[in-house]
Coordinates of all heavy atoms in Angstrom, one line a residue:
M1 N -24.8 -8.7 -31.0 CA -24.8 -7.6 -30.0 C -24.4 -8.3 -28.7 O -25.0 -9.3 -28.3 CB -26.2 -7.1 -29.8 CG -26.2 -5.8 -29.0 SD -27.6 -4.7 -29.4 CE -29.0 -5.8 -29.7
P2 N -23.5 -7.8 -28.0 CA -23.0 -8.4 -26.7 C -24.1 -8.3 -25.6 O -24.8 -7.2 -25.6 CB -21.8 -7.6 -26.3 CG -21.8 -6.3 -27.1 CD -22.7 -6.6 -28.3
C3 N -24.2 -9.2 -24.7 CA -25.0 -9.1 -23.6 C -24.2 -9.2 -22.4 O -23.2 -9.7 -22.2 CB -26.1 -10.2 -23.6 SG -27.3 -10.0 -25.0
Y4 N -24.9 -8.5 -21.3 CA -24.1 -8.3 -20.0 C -25.1 -8.8 -18.8 O -26.3 -8.8 -19.0 CB -23.9 -6.9 -19.7 CG -23.0 -6.3 -20.8 CD1 -23.6 -5.8 -22.0 CD2 -21.6 -6.2 -20.7 CE1 -22.9 -5.2 -23.0 CE2 -20.8 -5.6 -21.8 CZ -21.5 -5.2 -22.8 OH -20.7 -4.6 -23.9
I5 N -24.5 -9.4 -17.8 CA -25.3 -9.9 -16.8 C -24.9 -8.8 -15.7 O -23.9 -8.7 -15.2 CB -24.7 -11.3 -16.3 CG1 -24.9 -12.2 -17.5 CG2 -25.6 -11.8 -15.2 CD1 -24.1 -13.4 -17.4
E6 N -26.0 -8.2 -15.2 CA -25.7 -7.2 -14.2 C -26.4 -7.8 -12.9 O -27.6 -8.2 -12.9 CB -26.7 -6.0 -14.5 CG -26.2 -5.2 -15.8 CD -24.8 -4.6 -15.5 OE1 -24.5 -4.3 -14.4 OE2 -24.0 -4.4 -16.5
H7 N -25.5 -7.6 -11.8 CA -26.0 -8.1 -10.5 C -26.6 -6.9 -9.7 O -25.9 -5.9 -9.5 CB -24.9 -8.7 -9.7 CG -24.3 -9.9 -10.4 ND1 -24.7 -11.2 -10.2 CD2 -23.3 -10.0 -11.3 CE1 -24.1 -12.0 -10.9 NE2 -23.2 -11.4 -11.6
M8 N -27.9 -7.1 -9.3 CA -28.6 -5.9 -8.7 C -28.2 -5.9 -7.2 O -27.9 -7.0 -6.6 CB -30.1 -6.1 -8.9 CG -30.6 -6.1 -10.3 SD -30.3 -4.4 -10.9 CE -29.4 -4.8 -12.5
P9 N -28.3 -4.8 -6.6 CA -28.0 -4.7 -5.1 C -28.9 -5.7 -4.3 O -28.6 -6.1 -3.3 CB -28.3 -3.2 -4.8 CG -28.3 -2.5 -6.1 CD -28.6 -3.5 -7.2
D10 N -30.1 -6.0 -4.8 CA -31.1 -6.7 -4.0 C -30.8 -8.2 -4.2 O -31.5 -9.1 -3.8 CB -32.6 -6.4 -4.4 CG -32.9 -6.6 -5.8 OD1 -32.1 -7.2 -6.5 OD2 -34.0 -6.3 -6.2
G11 N -29.8 -8.5 -4.9 CA -29.5 -10.0 -5.1 C -30.0 -10.5 -6.4 O -29.7 -11.6 -6.9
G12 N -30.8 -9.7 -7.2 CA -31.3 -10.2 -8.5 C -30.3 -10.1 -9.6 O -29.3 -9.4 -9.3
V13 N -30.7 -10.6 -10.7 CA -29.8 -10.5 -11.9 C -30.6 -9.9 -13.1 O -31.8 -10.3 -13.2 CB -29.3 -11.8 -12.2 CG1 -28.7 -11.9 -13.6 CG2 -28.3 -12.4 -11.1
A14 N -30.0 -9.0 -13.8 CA -30.6 -8.5 -15.0 C -29.7 -8.6 -16.1 O -28.5 -8.7 -16.0 CB -30.9 -7.0 -14.7
F15 N -30.4 -8.9 -17.3 CA -29.6 -9.0 -18.6 C -29.7 -7.6 -19.3 O -30.7 -7.1 -19.5 CB -30.1 -10.1 -19.4 CG -29.9 -11.5 -18.8 CD1 -30.8 -12.1 -17.8 CD2 -28.7 -12.1 -19.0 CE1 -30.4 -13.2 -17.2 CE2 -28.3 -13.4 -18.3 CZ -29.3 -13.9 -17.4
L16 N -28.6 -7.3 -19.9 CA -28.5 -6.1 -20.6 C -27.8 -6.4 -21.9 O -26.8 -7.0 -21.9 CB -27.5 -5.1 -19.8 CG -28.3 -3.9 -19.0 CD1 -27.1 -3.2 -18.3 CD2 -28.9 -3.0 -19.9
C17 N -28.5 -6.0 -23.0 CA -27.9 -6.2 -24.2 C -27.6 -4.8 -25.0 O -28.4 -4.0 -24.9 CB -28.7 -7.1 -25.1 SG -28.7 -8.9 -24.6
G18 N -26.4 -4.8 -25.7 CA -26.2 -3.5 -26.3 C -24.7 -3.3 -26.4 O -24.0 -4.1 -25.9
D19 N -24.3 -2.2 -27.0 CA -22.9 -2.0 -27.1 C -22.4 -1.2 -25.9 O -22.3 0.1 -26.0 CB -22.7 -1.3 -28.5 CG -21.1 -1.2 -28.8 OD1 -20.3 -1.9 -28.1 OD2 -20.7 -0.6 -29.9
L20 N -22.1 -1.8 -24.9 CA -21.7 -1.1 -23.6 C -20.3 -1.3 -23.3 O -19.9 -1.1 -22.2 CB -22.6 -1.7 -22.5 CG -24.1 -1.6 -22.7 CD1 -24.9 -2.3 -21.5 CD2 -24.5 -0.1 -22.7
G21 N -19.4 -1.6 -24.3 CA -18.0 -1.7 -24.0 C -17.7 -3.2 -23.6 O -18.5 -4.0 -23.6
P22 N -16.4 -3.2 -23.1 CA -16.0 -4.7 -22.6 C -16.7 -5.1 -21.5 O -17.3 -4.4 -20.6 CB -14.5 -4.3 -22.4 CG -14.4 -2.9 -22.0 CD -15.4 -2.1 -22.8
H23 N -16.7 -6.5 -21.3 CA -17.2 -7.1 -20.1 C -16.2 -7.0 -19.0 O -15.1 -6.9 -19.2 CB -17.5 -8.6 -20.5 CG -18.6 -8.8 -21.2 ND1 -18.6 -8.9 -22.7 CD2 -20.0 -9.2 -21.0 CE1 -19.8 -9.1 -23.2 NE2 -20.6 -9.2 -22.2
C24 N -16.7 -7.1 -17.8 CA -15.9 -7.1 -16.6 C -14.8 -8.3 -16.7 O -15.2 -9.3 -17.1 CB -16.7 -7.3 -15.3 SG -15.7 -7.4 -13.8
A25 N -13.6 -7.9 -16.3 CA -12.6 -9.0 -16.5 C -12.4 -9.9 -15.3 O -11.7 -10.9 -15.5 CB -11.2 -8.2 -16.7
A26 N -13.2 -9.7 -14.3 CA -13.2 -10.6 -13.2 C -13.8 -12.0 -13.6 O -14.8 -12.0 -14.4 CB -14.0 -10.1 -12.0
E27 N -13.2 -13.0 -13.0 CA -13.6 -14.3 -13.4 C -15.1 -14.6 -13.1 O -15.6 -14.2 -12.0 CB -12.8 -15.5 -12.6 CG -12.3 -16.6 -13.5 CD -11.4 -17.5 -12.6 OE1 -10.4 -17.0 -12.2 OE2 -11.8 -18.6 -12.5
G28 N -15.8 -15.2 -14.0 CA -17.2 -15.5 -13.8 C -18.2 -14.3 -13.9 O -19.3 -14.5 -13.5
C29 N -17.7 -13.1 -14.1 CA -18.5 -12.0 -14.1 C -18.7 -11.5 -15.5 O -17.8 -11.3 -16.2 CB -17.8 -10.9 -13.2 SG -18.8 -9.4 -13.2
G30 N -20.0 -11.2 -15.9 CA -20.3 -10.8 -17.3 C -21.0 -9.4 -17.2 O -21.6 -9.1 -18.1
A31 N -20.7 -8.6 -16.2 CA -21.3 -7.4 -16.2 C -20.7 -6.3 -17.1 O -19.5 -6.5 -17.5 CB -21.3 -6.8 -14.8
S32 N -21.3 -5.2 -17.3 CA -20.8 -4.2 -18.0 C -19.9 -3.4 -17.2 O -19.9 -3.6 -15.9 CB -21.8 -3.3 -18.6 OG -22.7 -2.6 -17.5
T33 N -19.0 -2.7 -17.8 CA -17.8 -1.9 -17.0 C -18.0 -0.4 -17.0 O -18.4 0.2 -18.0 CB -16.5 -2.4 -17.5 OG1 -16.5 -2.1 -18.9 CG2 -16.3 -3.9 -17.4
G34 N -17.6 0.1 -15.9 CA -17.4 1.5 -15.8 C -16.0 2.0 -15.2 O -15.8 3.1 -15.0
Y35 N -15.2 0.9 -15.0 CA -14.0 1.2 -14.3 C -12.8 0.5 -15.0 O -13.0 -0.5 -15.8 CB -14.0 0.8 -12.9 CG -15.1 1.4 -12.1 CD1 -16.3 0.8 -12.0 CD2 -14.9 2.6 -11.4 CE1 -17.3 1.4 -11.3 CE2 -15.9 3.2 -10.7 CZ -17.1 2.5 -10.6 OH -18.2 3.1 -9.9
L36 N -11.5 1.1 -14.8 CA -10.3 0.3 -15.3 C -9.4 0.2 -14.1 O -9.4 1.0 -13.2 CB -9.6 1.2 -16.4 CG -10.4 1.3 -17.7 CD1 -9.6 2.3 -18.6 CD2 -10.6 0.0 -18.4
C37 N -8.7 -1.0 -14.1 CA -7.7 -1.1 -13.0 C -6.6 -0.1 -13.2 O -6.0 0.1 -14.3 CB -7.1 -2.6 -13.1 SG -5.9 -2.9 -11.9
D38 N -6.3 0.6 -12.0 CA -5.3 1.7 -12.1 C -3.9 1.2 -11.6 O -3.1 1.9 -11.3 CB -5.8 2.8 -11.3 CG -7.0 3.5 -11.8 OD1 -7.0 3.7 -13.1 OD2 -7.9 3.7 -11.2
Y39 N -3.8 -0.1 -11.4 CA -2.5 -0.7 -10.9 C -1.4 -0.5 -11.8 O -1.5 -0.8 -13.0 CB -2.8 -2.1 -10.6 CG -1.6 -2.7 -9.8 CD1 -1.7 -2.8 -8.4 CD2 -0.4 -3.2 -10.3 CE1 -0.7 -3.2 -7.6 CE2 0.6 -3.7 -9.5 CZ 0.4 -3.7 -8.2 OH 1.4 -4.3 -7.3
P40 N -0.3 0.3 -11.4 CA 0.8 0.5 -12.2 C 1.4 -0.7 -12.7 O 1.8 -1.6 -11.8 CB 1.7 1.5 -11.4 CG 1.3 1.2 -10.0 CD -0.1 0.7 -9.9
V41 N 1.9 -0.8 -13.9 CA 2.5 -2.0 -14.4 C 3.9 -1.7 -15.1 O 4.4 -2.4 -15.8 CB 1.7 -2.9 -15.4 CG1 0.5 -3.5 -14.6 CG2 1.1 -2.0 -16.6
G42 N 4.2 -0.4 -14.8 CA 5.6 0.0 -15.4 C 5.4 0.9 -16.8 O 4.3 0.8 -17.2
D43 N 6.4 1.5 -17.0 CA 6.4 2.4 -18.3 C 5.3 3.3 -18.2 O 4.8 3.8 -19.2 CB 6.2 1.5 -19.6 CG 7.4 0.7 -19.9 OD1 8.5 1.2 -19.4 OD2 7.4 -0.2 -20.6
G44 N 4.9 3.8 -17.1 CA 3.7 4.8 -16.9 C 2.4 4.3 -17.3 O 1.5 5.0 -17.5
R45 N 2.4 3.0 -17.4 CA 1.1 2.4 -17.8 C 0.3 1.7 -16.7 O 1.0 1.4 -15.6 CB 1.2 1.3 -18.9 CG 1.9 2.1 -20.2 CD 1.8 1.1 -21.4 NE 2.3 -0.2 -21.0 CZ 2.3 -1.3 -21.7 NH1 1.8 -1.2 -23.0 NH2 2.8 -2.3 -21.4
T46 N -0.9 1.5 -16.8 CA -1.7 0.8 -15.8 C -2.3 -0.5 -16.4 O -2.4 -0.6 -17.6 CB -2.8 1.7 -15.2 OG1 -3.6 2.1 -16.2 CG2 -2.2 2.9 -14.4
C47 N -2.7 -1.3 -15.4 CA -3.2 -2.6 -15.8 C -4.4 -2.5 -16.9 O -4.5 -3.2 -17.7 CB -3.6 -3.4 -14.6 SG -4.7 -4.7 -14.7
D48 N -5.3 -1.5 -16.5 CA -6.3 -1.3 -17.5 C -7.4 -2.3 -17.7 O -8.1 -2.4 -18.8 CB -5.8 -0.8 -18.8 CG -5.4 0.6 -18.9 OD1 -5.7 1.3 -17.8 OD2 -4.9 1.2 -19.8
L49 N -7.5 -3.4 -16.8 CA -8.5 -4.4 -17.1 C -9.8 -3.7 -16.8 O -10.0 -2.9 -15.9 CB -8.3 -5.4 -16.0 CG -7.5 -6.7 -16.3 CD1 -7.6 -7.6 -15.2 CD2 -7.7 -7.2 -17.6
P50 N -10.8 -3.9 -17.6 CA -12.1 -3.4 -17.4 C -12.8 -4.0 -16.3 O -12.7 -5.3 -16.1 CB -12.8 -3.8 -18.9 CG -12.1 -4.9 -19.4 CD -10.7 -4.7 -18.9
L51 N -13.4 -3.2 -15.4 CA -14.1 -3.8 -14.3 C -15.6 -3.2 -14.1 O -15.7 -2.1 -14.4 CB -13.2 -3.4 -13.1 CG -11.8 -4.0 -13.0 CD1 -10.9 -3.1 -12.0 CD2 -11.8 -5.4 -12.8
C52 N -16.4 -4.0 -13.5 CA -17.7 -3.6 -13.2 C -17.6 -3.0 -11.7 O -16.6 -3.0 -11.2 CB -18.7 -4.7 -13.1 SG -18.5 -5.8 -11.8
A53 N -18.7 -2.2 -11.4 CA -18.7 -1.5 -10.1 C -18.4 -2.4 -8.9 O -17.8 -2.0 -8.0 CB -20.1 -0.8 -9.9
S54 N -18.8 -3.7 -9.0 CA -18.6 -4.6 -7.8 C -17.2 -5.2 -7.8 O -16.8 -5.7 -6.7 CB -19.7 -5.6 -7.7 OG -19.8 -6.3 -8.8
H55 N -16.5 -5.2 -8.9 CA -15.1 -5.7 -9.0 C -14.0 -4.7 -9.0 O -12.9 -5.0 -9.0 CB -15.0 -6.7 -10.1 CG -15.7 -8.0 -9.9 ND1 -16.8 -8.4 -10.6 CD2 -15.5 -9.0 -8.9 CE1 -17.2 -9.7 -10.1 NE2 -16.4 -9.9 -9.0
A56 N -14.4 -3.4 -9.1 CA -13.4 -2.4 -9.0 C -13.2 -2.0 -7.6 O -14.1 -1.3 -7.0 CB -13.9 -1.2 -9.9
Y57 N -12.2 -2.4 -7.0 CA -11.9 -2.1 -5.6 C -11.3 -0.7 -5.4 O -10.1 -0.6 -5.9 CB -11.2 -3.2 -5.0 CG -11.9 -4.5 -5.1 CD1 -11.6 -5.5 -6.0 CD2 -12.9 -4.8 -4.1 CE1 -12.3 -6.6 -6.1 CE2 -13.6 -6.1 -4.2 CZ -13.3 -7.0 -5.1 OH -14.0 -8.1 -5.2
E58 N -11.9 0.2 -4.7 CA -11.5 1.5 -4.6 C -10.4 1.5 -3.5 O -10.7 1.2 -2.3 CB -12.6 2.5 -4.3 CG -12.1 3.9 -4.4 CD -13.3 4.8 -4.3 OE1 -14.1 4.7 -3.4 OE2 -13.4 5.6 -5.3
V59 N -9.1 1.7 -3.7 CA -8.0 1.6 -2.8 C -7.7 3.1 -2.4 O -7.0 3.4 -1.4 CB -6.8 0.9 -3.3 CG1 -7.1 -0.5 -3.5 CG2 -6.2 1.6 -4.5
A60 N -8.1 4.0 -3.2 CA -7.9 5.5 -2.9 C -9.0 6.2 -3.7 O -9.6 5.6 -4.7 CB -6.6 6.0 -3.3
P61 N -9.3 7.5 -3.5 CA -10.3 8.3 -4.3 C -9.9 8.1 -5.7 O -8.7 8.5 -6.1 CB -10.2 9.6 -3.7 CG -9.7 9.4 -2.3 CD -8.8 8.3 -2.4
E62 N -10.7 7.7 -6.5 CA -10.6 7.6 -8.0 C -9.6 6.6 -8.5 O -9.0 6.6 -9.6 CB -10.2 8.9 -8.7 CG -11.4 10.0 -8.3 CD -12.7 9.6 -9.0 OE1 -12.7 9.3 -10.2 OE2 -13.7 9.8 -8.2
V63 N -9.1 5.7 -7.5 CA -8.1 4.7 -8.0 C -8.7 3.4 -7.6 O -9.1 3.0 -6.6 CB -6.8 4.9 -7.1 CG1 -5.7 3.8 -7.4 CG2 -6.1 6.2 -7.3
H64 N -8.8 2.6 -8.7 CA -9.4 1.2 -8.6 C -8.5 0.1 -9.0 O -7.9 0.3 -10.0 CB -10.7 1.3 -9.4 CG -11.8 2.3 -9.0 ND1 -11.8 3.6 -9.4 CD2 -12.8 2.2 -8.1 CE1 -12.8 4.3 -9.0 NE2 -13.4 3.4 -8.0
Y65 N -8.6 -1.0 -8.4 CA -7.8 -2.1 -8.6 C -8.7 -3.3 -8.9 O -9.7 -3.5 -8.4 CB -6.9 -2.5 -7.5 CG -5.7 -1.6 -7.3 CD1 -4.9 -1.8 -6.2 CD2 -5.4 -0.6 -8.2 CE1 -3.7 -0.8 -6.1 CE2 -4.3 0.3 -7.9 CZ -3.5 0.1 -7.0 OH -2.4 1.0 -6.7
C66 N -8.2 -4.2 -9.9 CA -8.9 -5.3 -10.2 C -8.6 -6.5 -9.0 O -7.8 -6.3 -8.2 CB -8.4 -6.0 -11.5 SG -6.6 -6.5 -11.5
P67 N -9.5 -7.5 -9.0 CA -9.3 -8.4 -7.9 C -7.9 -9.0 -7.6 O -7.4 -9.0 -6.6 CB -10.3 -9.5 -8.2 CG -11.4 -8.9 -9.1 CD -10.6 -7.8 -9.9
G68 N -7.2 -9.3 -8.7 CA -5.9 -9.8 -8.7 C -4.8 -8.8 -8.1 O -4.1 -9.1 -7.3
H69 N -5.0 -7.6 -8.6 CA -4.0 -6.6 -8.2 C -4.4 -6.2 -6.8 O -3.5 -5.6 -6.0 CB -4.1 -5.4 -9.1 CG -3.2 -5.7 -10.3 ND1 -3.5 -5.5 -11.5 CD2 -1.9 -6.2 -10.3 CE1 -2.5 -5.9 -12.4 NE2 -1.5 -6.3 -11.6
L70 N -5.6 -6.2 -6.4 CA -6.0 -5.8 -4.9 C -5.3 -6.8 -3.9 O -4.6 -6.3 -3.0 CB -7.4 -6.0 -4.8 CG -8.0 -5.7 -3.3 CD1 -8.1 -4.2 -3.1 CD2 -9.3 -6.2 -3.0
V71 N -5.1 -8.0 -4.3 CA -4.4 -9.0 -3.4 C -2.9 -8.6 -3.4 O -2.3 -8.5 -2.3 CB -4.6 -10.5 -4.0 CG1 -3.7 -11.4 -3.3 CG2 -6.0 -11.0 -3.9
L72 N -2.4 -8.2 -4.6 CA -0.9 -7.8 -4.6 C -0.7 -6.6 -3.8 O 0.2 -6.5 -2.9 CB -0.6 -7.5 -6.0 CG -0.3 -8.7 -7.0 CD1 0.2 -8.2 -8.3 CD2 0.7 -9.7 -6.3
W73 N -1.6 -5.7 -3.8 CA -1.5 -4.4 -3.2 C -1.7 -4.6 -1.7 O -1.0 -4.0 -0.8 CB -2.7 -3.4 -3.7 CG -3.0 -2.3 -2.8 CD1 -4.1 -2.1 -2.1 CD2 -2.2 -1.1 -2.5 NE1 -4.1 -0.9 -1.4 CE2 -2.8 -0.3 -1.7 CE3 -0.9 -0.8 -3.0 CZ2 -2.2 0.9 -1.3 CZ3 -0.3 0.3 -2.6 CH2 -1.0 1.3 -1.6
Q74 N -2.6 -5.5 -1.2 CA -2.8 -5.8 0.2 C -1.5 -6.4 0.8 O -1.1 -6.1 1.9 CB -4.0 -6.7 0.4 CG -5.3 -5.8 0.3 CD -6.5 -6.8 0.3 OE1 -6.4 -7.9 0.0 NE2 -7.7 -6.1 0.7
E75 N -0.8 -7.3 0.1 CA 0.3 -8.0 0.4 C 1.5 -7.0 0.5 O 2.2 -7.0 1.5 CB 0.7 -9.1 -0.6 CG -0.1 -10.3 -0.3 CD 0.2 -11.4 -1.2 OE1 1.1 -11.1 -2.0 OE2 -0.5 -12.5 -1.2
F76 N 1.5 -6.1 -0.5 CA 2.5 -5.0 -0.4 C 2.4 -4.2 0.8 O 3.4 -3.8 1.4 CB 2.3 -4.2 -1.6 CG 3.2 -3.0 -1.9 CD1 4.6 -3.2 -2.2 CD2 2.7 -1.8 -1.9 CE1 5.5 -2.2 -2.4 CE2 3.6 -0.8 -2.1 CZ 4.9 -0.9 -2.3
R77 N 1.2 -3.8 1.1 CA 1.0 -3.0 2.2 C 1.3 -3.7 3.6 O 1.9 -3.1 4.5 CB -0.4 -2.5 2.3 CG -0.7 -1.3 1.4 CD -1.7 -0.4 2.0 NE -2.9 -1.2 2.4 CZ -4.0 -0.6 2.5 NH1 -4.3 0.7 2.3 NH2 -5.1 -1.3 2.9
R78 N 0.9 -5.0 3.6 CA 1.1 -5.7 4.8 C 2.7 -5.9 5.1 O 3.1 -6.0 6.2 CB 0.5 -7.2 4.6 CG 0.1 -7.7 6.1 CD -0.7 -9.0 5.9 NE -1.6 -8.9 4.9 CZ -2.0 -9.7 4.0 NH1 -1.1 -10.7 3.8 NH2 -2.9 -9.6 3.2
S79 N 3.4 -6.0 3.9 CA 4.9 -6.2 4.1 C 5.6 -4.9 4.4 O 6.7 -4.7 4.5 CB 5.4 -6.8 3.0 OG 5.3 -5.9 1.8
G80 N 4.8 -3.8 4.7 CA 5.5 -2.6 4.9 C 5.9 -1.8 3.7 O 6.7 -0.9 3.7
G81 N 5.4 -2.2 2.5 CA 5.9 -1.6 1.3 C 5.7 -0.1 1.1 O 6.5 0.6 0.7
V82 N 4.5 0.3 1.6 CA 4.2 1.7 1.5 C 5.3 2.7 2.3 O 5.8 3.6 1.9 CB 2.7 2.0 1.9 CG1 2.5 3.5 2.0 CG2 1.7 1.3 1.0
Q83 N 5.3 2.2 3.5 CA 6.4 2.8 4.4 C 7.7 2.9 3.8 O 8.4 4.0 3.7 CB 6.3 2.1 5.7 CG 7.2 2.7 6.8 CD 6.4 4.0 7.4 OE1 5.3 3.9 7.4 NE2 7.2 5.0 7.7
H84 N 8.2 1.8 3.2 CA 9.4 1.7 2.6 C 9.6 2.6 1.5 O 10.6 3.3 1.4 CB 9.6 0.3 2.1 CG 11.0 0.0 1.7 ND1 12.1 -0.1 2.6 CD2 11.4 -0.3 0.4 CE1 13.2 -0.3 1.8 NE2 12.8 -0.4 0.5
E85 N 8.6 2.7 0.6 CA 8.6 3.6 -0.5 C 8.7 5.1 -0.1 O 9.4 5.9 -0.6 CB 7.3 3.4 -1.3 CG 7.3 2.1 -2.1 CD 7.2 2.4 -3.6 OE1 6.3 3.3 -3.9 OE2 7.8 1.9 -4.4
L86 N 7.9 5.4 1.0 CA 8.0 6.8 1.5 C 9.3 7.2 2.0 O 9.8 8.3 1.9 CB 6.9 7.0 2.5 CG 5.5 7.0 2.1 CD1 4.5 7.1 3.1 CD2 5.2 8.1 1.1
E87 N 10.0 6.2 2.6 CA 11.3 6.5 3.2 C 12.4 6.6 2.2 O 13.3 7.3 2.3 CB 11.8 5.3 4.1 CG 11.0 5.5 5.5 CD 11.3 4.2 6.3 OE1 11.9 3.3 5.9 OE2 10.7 4.2 7.5
N88 N 12.0 6.1 0.9 CA 13.0 6.2 -0.2 C 12.9 7.4 -0.9 O 13.7 7.7 -1.9 CB 12.9 5.0 -1.1 CG 13.6 3.8 -0.6 OD1 14.6 4.0 0.1 ND2 13.3 2.7 -1.0
V89 N 11.8 8.2 -0.6 CA 11.6 9.5 -1.5 C 12.5 10.5 -0.8 O 12.6 10.9 0.3 CB 10.2 10.0 -1.3 CG1 10.0 11.3 -2.0 CG2 9.2 9.0 -1.9
V90 N 13.4 11.0 -1.8 CA 14.3 12.0 -1.4 C 14.1 13.3 -2.2 O 13.7 13.2 -3.4 CB 15.8 11.6 -1.6 CG1 16.3 10.6 -0.5 CG2 16.0 11.1 -2.9
P91 N 14.2 14.4 -1.6 CA 13.9 15.7 -2.3 C 14.9 15.9 -3.5 O 16.0 15.5 -3.5 CB 14.2 16.8 -1.2 CG 14.2 16.1 0.0 CD 14.7 14.7 -0.2
Y92 N 14.3 16.3 -4.6 CA 15.1 16.5 -5.8 C 15.9 17.8 -5.6 O 15.4 18.9 -5.4 CB 14.1 16.7 -7.0 CG 14.8 16.9 -8.3 CD1 15.5 15.8 -8.7 CD2 14.8 18.0 -8.9 CE1 16.2 16.0 -9.9 CE2 15.5 18.1 -10.2 CZ 16.2 17.1 -10.7 OH 16.8 17.4 -11.8
K93 N 17.1 17.6 -5.8 CA 18.1 18.8 -5.6 C 18.6 19.3 -6.9 O 19.3 20.4 -6.7 CB 19.2 18.3 -4.6 CG 18.9 17.9 -3.2 CD 20.0 18.0 -2.3 CE 19.6 17.4 -0.9 NZ 19.9 16.0 -0.8
G94 N 18.4 18.8 -7.9 CA 19.0 19.2 -9.1 C 20.4 19.0 -9.2 O 20.9 18.1 -8.4
R95 N 21.2 19.5 -10.2 CA 22.6 19.2 -10.3 C 23.4 20.4 -10.2 O 23.1 21.4 -10.7 CB 22.8 18.6 -11.7 CG 22.3 17.2 -11.8 CD 22.8 16.6 -13.1 NE 21.7 16.0 -13.9 CZ 21.9 15.0 -14.7 NH1 23.2 14.7 -15.1 NH2 21.0 14.5 -15.3
Ligands
ZN101 ZN1 -17.5 -7.9 -12.3
ZN102 ZN1 -5.2 -5.0 -12.5

């Protein structure tokens, strides 16, 4: 039976054992997960790394990124990537 390490808000640690799904994918974290990374990786798919509540970084409502993809996202935004993408959106006119 898999065991999980839960970090409590008060700084304590609790052990949980049971079939609670995958462990958090963040390095050194063994918590149970309730989130998946929503970072797009192409082909309409997302990263899908399992994440615990403290490693699922909410970048938009209901959109969570893993620690690695959060860094990519922040760099993307800093480089003006979002602005650039929006400027590239052209209305669909059909043929
Ligand atoms: Zn975690
Ligand atoms: Zn990810």
